[in-house]
């Protein structure tokens, strides 16, 4: 009796960091060795698969025997032998390593459209994609739809750009189609620069062909023969898988001349980003592909009129493009059945920060933040109190815990002072200082500002200086007003999206967490205990057992005391690193 | 050096390259952007060296000085930041005894850098040591890894 056995090992960046490749290799050798003994193992398949979301529990392994699927979590190479022996050969799953119930609750509220195949198919094998209806959408389009019909279908689906701003994709395509000119381009923006976001990386690592197929359909619709993928060099695995996928697609005839025997020809080139956040802005990205400094220019003309090499150009985000094939196959109505009236479909978020289940999630738009944090995310780490949700990265804002019942859609997030953004969602708890968070983002935008326009170049620098002053205890009363005025000026007068949104983290924290700013300025106190200059460490004599742990870890020699007697911190020598606070088992060190 | 530059030049012609791709190729070959290479291309293409310099200093990926034998990268993306990447940065700087004006140690063994985000936020904080990704890093683990490398050098 030959059983059908399949083993799927997560080898996204998270999976590999946790040892995914070693686990895969171990499975292969264990099965090969065991195969000599047990005939049931011939024909056993081991696969690499892309990210399935819950990277915090990597390495995740699926063992599928006939149609029975078991998923293991936190698997290390030395655990493989036992799984092969007990589960695969003898048919008894190793119950203590299987995923627990809360693993399932991570998935219950999710709706996988773009990520449906991530974690199922082998991203390095085009046949695996084809066997899941891959390249059927482009076939349907080329053989039976006019470009106008394709655009109409996308328009009807209500798909909006997933890169952040939410511009209707069908409309963008139509504008490019109608722009005069024989030569047009489609660019896939995979320069995922928002810190705290990794949706695009996961999509390309897990299902690169969907992005290629989306570009093909877009190219057909707007009349482009060439596409570019502008991808971050910081994502080596995604780049490698995309390269492989493009080669395979060329080999199969899905890219190149005369696709499906028609006159339509299309090919894709990869351009590696060289590390500049501003290149997420469309005109800056175009300058970078042309080999120049990635600086934005004034719009109009918009890229759909005058883009790459001066030709009409559509720029779509990775996730937007990966949505296209399913819309074509399953129809606009199917896609529009997910989401809210103005925000259709699903959205991928990188759920990170102080939440229990960190990872990649895909949810129908309109879901509440509460559902995301407490049902999918499993609540806050260490059961601490939720303080805020940061969305939209450096261009977004912080939504306070009191507002987590708002639906996640483009309009509601904007009304709350944040933006949808590309999908970073960072959960902050009571131990996070909101002034520090604002300062963090300003450090980022200030150093990433390209310097072309004055409000952004100098304005962000001044904003940062004020925030640094406040967090170091030198804040003045008038600083709050200055922050507000300067923020609004920068928003109103900057050239591109980077500057226009850079003050958002400041404005939203000022709006919802003004009391924290005031505590820093008037009481010279950081309520969350983060801002170093405002902290003092003292030892509470009544709790100190004199164990000497703090003395040992103190890097500056600021702690003195005899063994078994209460110790003391010398304030002048203390560098406020907090090492003693963390190491004390008796809660004898007070931070305040 | 000349041979290698010729090869890069040929590739540039064949692949319709641009100034960025030339710089990326030079760096791939030499590990940084040697001044000589820039002048060589400047002459070949009749493009002023300042153009190259402008691009090289605009993007964070380019290095004008040779890098250390071991490259330690600490991610300072938002998720890593709220999970304590600052501590990792401080402990690495201390352990490596970096000079104030450079991110490479005097003996050339280590280069230390921060990057904006490596996109592995769910296993934050993240450190990359010689291209290997380490998730959920602590200051103690990082120092241990660094000492291990020092021992083997």
């Amino acid at each position: 009796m030959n059983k059908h056995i399949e083993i799927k090992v997560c080898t996204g960046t998270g999976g590999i960091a946790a040892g995914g490749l070693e686990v895969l290799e171990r499975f292969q050798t264990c099965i090969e060795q065991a195969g000599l003994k047990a005939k049931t193992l011939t024909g056993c398949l081991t696969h690499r698969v892309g990210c399935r979301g819950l990277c915090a529990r990597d390495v995740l392994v699926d063992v599928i025997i006939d149609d029975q699927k078991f998923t293991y979590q936190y698997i290390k190479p030395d655990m493989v032998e036992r799984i092969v022996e007990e589960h695969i050969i003898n048919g008894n799953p190793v119950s203590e390593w299987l995923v627990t119930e809360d693993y399932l609750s991570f998935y219950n509220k999710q709706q996988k459209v773009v990520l449906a195949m991530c974690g199922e198919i082998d991203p390095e094998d085009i046949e695996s994609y084809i066997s899941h209806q891959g390249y059927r959408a482009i076939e349907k389009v080329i053989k039976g739809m006019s470009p106008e019909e394709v655009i109409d279908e996308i328009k009807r689906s209500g798909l909006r750009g997933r890169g952040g701003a939410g511009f209707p994709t069908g409309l963008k395509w139509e504008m490019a189609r109608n722009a005069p000119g024989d030569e047009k381009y489609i660019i896939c923006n995979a320069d995922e620069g928002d810190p705290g976001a990794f949706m695009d990386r996961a999509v390309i690592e897990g299902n690169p062909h969907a992005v290629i197929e989306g570009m093909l359909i877009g190219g057909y619709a707007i009349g482009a023969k060439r596409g570019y993928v502008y991808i971050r060099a910081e994502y080596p695995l995604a780049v490698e898988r995309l390269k492989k996928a493009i080669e395979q697609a060329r080999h199969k005839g899905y890219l190149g001349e005369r696709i499906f025997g028609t006159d339509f020809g299309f090919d894709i080139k990869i351009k590696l980003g060289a590390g500049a956040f501003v290149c997420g802005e469309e005109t800056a990205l175009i300058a970078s592909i042309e080999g120049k400094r990635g600086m934005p220019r004034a719009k109009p003309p918009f890229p759909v009129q005058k883009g790459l090499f001066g030709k009409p150009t559509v720029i779509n985000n990775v996730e937007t493009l990966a949505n296209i094939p399913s819309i074509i196959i399953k129809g606009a109505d199917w896609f529009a059945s997910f989401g809210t009236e103005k925000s259709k479909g699903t959205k991928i978020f990188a759920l990170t920060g102080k939440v229990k289940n960190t990872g990649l999630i895909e949810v129908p738009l309109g879901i509440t933040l509460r559902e995301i944090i407490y049902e999918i995310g499993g609540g806050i780490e260490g059961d601490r109190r939720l303080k805020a949700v940061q969305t939209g990265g450096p261009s977004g804002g912080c939504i306070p815990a009191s507002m987590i019942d708002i639906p996640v859609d483009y309009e509601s997030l904007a009304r709350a002072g944040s933006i949808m953004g590309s999908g970073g969602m960072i959960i902050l708890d009571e131990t996070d200082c909101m002034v520090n968070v604002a300062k963090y983002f300003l450090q980022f935008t200030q150093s990433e500002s390209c310097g072309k326009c004055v409000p952004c170049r100098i304005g962000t620098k001044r904003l940062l200086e004020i925030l640094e002053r406040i967090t170091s205890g030198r804040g003045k009363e008038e600083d709050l007003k200055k922050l507000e005025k300067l923020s609004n000026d920068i928003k109103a007068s900057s050239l591109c999206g980077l500057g226009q949104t850079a003050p958002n983290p400041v404005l939203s924290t000022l709006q919802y967490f003004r009391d924290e700013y005031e505590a820093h300025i008037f009481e010279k106190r950081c309520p969350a205990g983060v801002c170093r200059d405002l902290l003092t460490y003292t030892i509470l004599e009544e709790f100190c057992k004199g164990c000497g742990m703090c003395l040992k870890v103190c890097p500056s020699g600021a702690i003195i005391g005899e063994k078994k007697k209460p110790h003391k911190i010398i304030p002048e020598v203390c560098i406020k690193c907090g090492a003693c606070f963390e190491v004390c088992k008796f809660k004898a060190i007070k931070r305040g | 050096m000349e041979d290698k530059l010729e090869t890069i030049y040929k590739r540039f012609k064949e692949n319709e390259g641009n100034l960025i791709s030339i710089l990326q190729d030079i760096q791939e070959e030499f590990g940084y952007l040697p001044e000589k290479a820039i002048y060589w291309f400047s002459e070949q293409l009749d493009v002023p060296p300042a153009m190259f310099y402008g691009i090289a200093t605009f993007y964070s990926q380019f290095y004008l000085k040779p890098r250390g034998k071991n490259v330690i990268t600490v991610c300072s993306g938002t998720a890593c930041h709220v999970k304590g990447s600052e501590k990792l940065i401080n402990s690495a700087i201390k352990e490596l005894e970096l000079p104030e004006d450079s991110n490479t140690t005097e003996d050339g063994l280590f280069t230390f850098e921060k990057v904006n985000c490596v996109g592995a936020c769910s296993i934050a904080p993240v450190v990359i040591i010689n291209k290997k990704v380490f998730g959920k890093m602590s200051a103690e683990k990082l120092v241990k890894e660094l000492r291990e490398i020092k021992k083997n050098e």
Side-chain angles (χ1 to χ4, degrees), chain B residues 36-96:
Chain B
K36 263 191 184 163
I38 302 295
Y39 279 105
W40 191 88
F41 268 101
S42 164
E43 223 151 84
Q44 292 286 330
L45 302 172
D46 199 19
V47 169
M51 283 281 276
F52 286 95
Y53 185 76
I55 292 166
T57 51
F58 185 85
Y59 295 101
S60 60
Q61 198 192 68
F62 296 117
Y63 314 106
L64 298 174
K65 282 186 194 148
R67 314 190 74 210
K69 195 171 155 202
N70 300 285
V71 178
I72 318 295
T73 311
V74 175
C75 178
S76 55
T78 320
C80 292
H81 176 77
V82 300
K83 291 244 175 166
S85 63
E86 194 117 347
K87 265 193 201 122
L88 301 181
I89 293 165
N90 291 337
S91 61
I93 290 177
K94 202 169 149 238
E95 176 64 31
L96 296 175

Side-chain angles (χ1 to χ4, degrees), chain A residues 197-463:
Chain A
F198 57 94
M199 301 73 50
D200 298 347
R201 173 179 69 66
V203 171
I204 294 176
E205 283 178 9
N207 191 6
H209 287 286
V211 181
I212 296 174
E213 193 173 2
M215 287 183 78
L216 269 162
I217 296 168
Y220 177 79
I222 67 166
K225 292 184 193 66
R226 183 171 261 189
Y228 288 88
V229 181
Y230 186 79
I231 184 168
R232 301 182 76 193
E234 285 93 333
Y235 287 174
L237 183 65
V239 173
E240 189 196 320
R241 288 198 175 151
L242 189 64
K243 270 187 191 158
K244 230 179 232 178
I246 289 175
E247 269 163 39
Q248 290 174 349
R250 274 190 200 133
H251 189 71
K252 277 266 174 188
Y254 296 129
L255 288 176
E257 295 298 318
R258 302 189 58 79
I259 298 169
F260 289 108
T262 63
D263 286 340
F264 177 63
F266 187 82
D267 210 346
I268 294 174
K269 243 186 159 177
I270 295 179
K271 283 278 174 189
L272 287 187
F277 175 66
V278 69
C279 288
E281 202 278 341
E282 294 196 333
T283 57
L285 187 152
I286 287 170
S288 184
I289 291 185
E290 290 171 352
K292 303 174 194 152
R293 283 163 72 102
M295 289 168 122
R297 60 159 174 79
K299 294 187 278 193
F302 291 96
V304 286
Q305 301 154 328
K306 218 172 164 203
L308 187 62
F309 307 120
K311 311 287 184 203
T313 303
V314 159
I315 302 175
N316 287 137
N317 159 273
V318 171
E319 190 184 339
T320 315
L321 289 166
N323 264 305
I324 303 286
S326 355
I327 295 177
I328 295 294
I329 298 248
K330 296 180 183 164
D333 295 328
W334 165 81
F335 183 81
S337 71
F338 303 109
T340 65
E341 201 201 327
K342 284 188 174 163
S343 305
K344 301 290 187 199
T346 60
K347 176 82 193 82
I348 308 179
F349 288 100
L351 183 62
T352 61
K354 305 294 178 63
V355 71
K356 279 180 192 155
N357 298 330
T358 53
L360 201 70
I361 62 168
E362 183 173 357
V363 289
L365 286 166
I367 192 173
T368 65
L369 285 169
R370 184 186 296 279
E371 287 171 286
I372 293 180
I373 300 166
Y374 288 98
E375 293 182 41
I376 298 172
I380 308 299
E381 255 182 3
D383 291 315
R384 284 188 296 266
R385 224 160 33 86
L386 170 74
K387 187 183 267 185
V389 182
Q390 208 284 334
T391 67
S395 312
C398 296
I399 299 165
S402 61
M403 288 174 73
I404 58 168
D405 287 308
I406 61 166
V408 175
D409 60 54
Y410 291 96
E411 281 73 26
S412 303
L413 290 178
R415 263 198 305 276
S418 188
I419 59 164
M420 176 78 79
S422 59
M425 189 177 275
I426 295 131
I427 310 301
L428 305 170
D429 70 11
E430 53 193 323
T431 62
D432 290 305
C433 167
M434 301 312 286
V435 189
N436 178 276
V437 167
K439 184 179 82 175
Y440 166 80
F441 282 119
L442 256 295
Q443 274 167 347
F444 181 86
T445 33
Q446 191 270 322
S447 79
E448 291 296 330
S449 169
C450 80
K452 183 168 177 173
C453 75
V454 177
C456 178
R457 183 181 70 234
I458 299 175
T460 55
K461 178 88 181 155
R462 293 287 100 87
L463 269 185

Side-chain angles (χ1 to χ4, degrees), chain A residues 355-580:
Chain A
V355 71
K356 279 180 192 155
N357 298 330
T358 53
L360 201 70
I361 62 168
E362 183 173 357
V363 289
L365 286 166
I367 192 173
T368 65
L369 285 169
R370 184 186 296 279
E371 287 171 286
I372 293 180
I373 300 166
Y374 288 98
E375 293 182 41
I376 298 172
I380 308 299
E381 255 182 3
D383 291 315
R384 284 188 296 266
R385 224 160 33 86
L386 170 74
K387 187 183 267 185
V389 182
Q390 208 284 334
T391 67
S395 312
C398 296
I399 299 165
S402 61
M403 288 174 73
I404 58 168
D405 287 308
I406 61 166
V408 175
D409 60 54
Y410 291 96
E411 281 73 26
S412 303
L413 290 178
R415 263 198 305 276
S418 188
I419 59 164
M420 176 78 79
S422 59
M425 189 177 275
I426 295 131
I427 310 301
L428 305 170
D429 70 11
E430 53 193 323
T431 62
D432 290 305
C433 167
M434 301 312 286
V435 189
N436 178 276
V437 167
K439 184 179 82 175
Y440 166 80
F441 282 119
L442 256 295
Q443 274 167 347
F444 181 86
T445 33
Q446 191 270 322
S447 79
E448 291 296 330
S449 169
C450 80
K452 183 168 177 173
C453 75
V454 177
C456 178
R457 183 181 70 234
I458 299 175
T460 55
K461 178 88 181 155
R462 293 287 100 87
L463 269 185
L464 178 60
E465 281 168 2
I466 299 175
L467 290 169
E468 277 171 344
R469 200 156 69 211
I470 295 174
T471 52
S472 65
R474 292 175 289 116
K476 296 177 229 154
E477 192 178 346
E478 65 263 30
D479 281 344
L480 290 178
K481 267 203 185 125
K482 267 192 198 160
L483 279 177
E484 253 158 2
K485 165 127 195 1
L486 192 51
S487 291
N488 288 320
D489 290 348
I490 296 170
K491 269 178 92 105
S493 53
S494 289
L495 173 66
C496 83
L498 191 151
Q500 287 158 11
T501 59
N504 283 352
V506 180
L507 287 172
S508 75
T509 48
L510 264 178
Q511 184 182 351
Y512 299 119
F513 301 96
R514 205 178 183 90
D515 55 326
E516 287 195 31
Y517 280 88
E518 286 166 353
H520 282 78
I521 295 173
F522 301 117
E523 300 164 38
K524 310 290 174 209
R525 185 172 67 85
C526 174
V530 172
C531 298
R532 202 189 260 202
D533 292 333
L534 300 179
L535 298 178
T536 48
Y537 289 89
T538 39
I539 295 179
L540 302 168
E541 269 184 37
E542 60 269 37
F543 294 116
C544 181
K545 304 265 192 258
C547 70
M549 279 303 281
C550 55
L551 193 145
K552 229 166 105 186
V553 297
C554 178
S556 61
I559 299 181
I560 49 166
E562 284 174 45
K563 239 190 160 38
K564 298 204 173 145
K565 282 188 185 154
H567 286 34
K568 251 183 102 167
I569 297 175
I570 311 165
E572 297 76 34
V573 189
C574 175
I575 56 164
K576 300 172 183 180
C577 67
C580 54

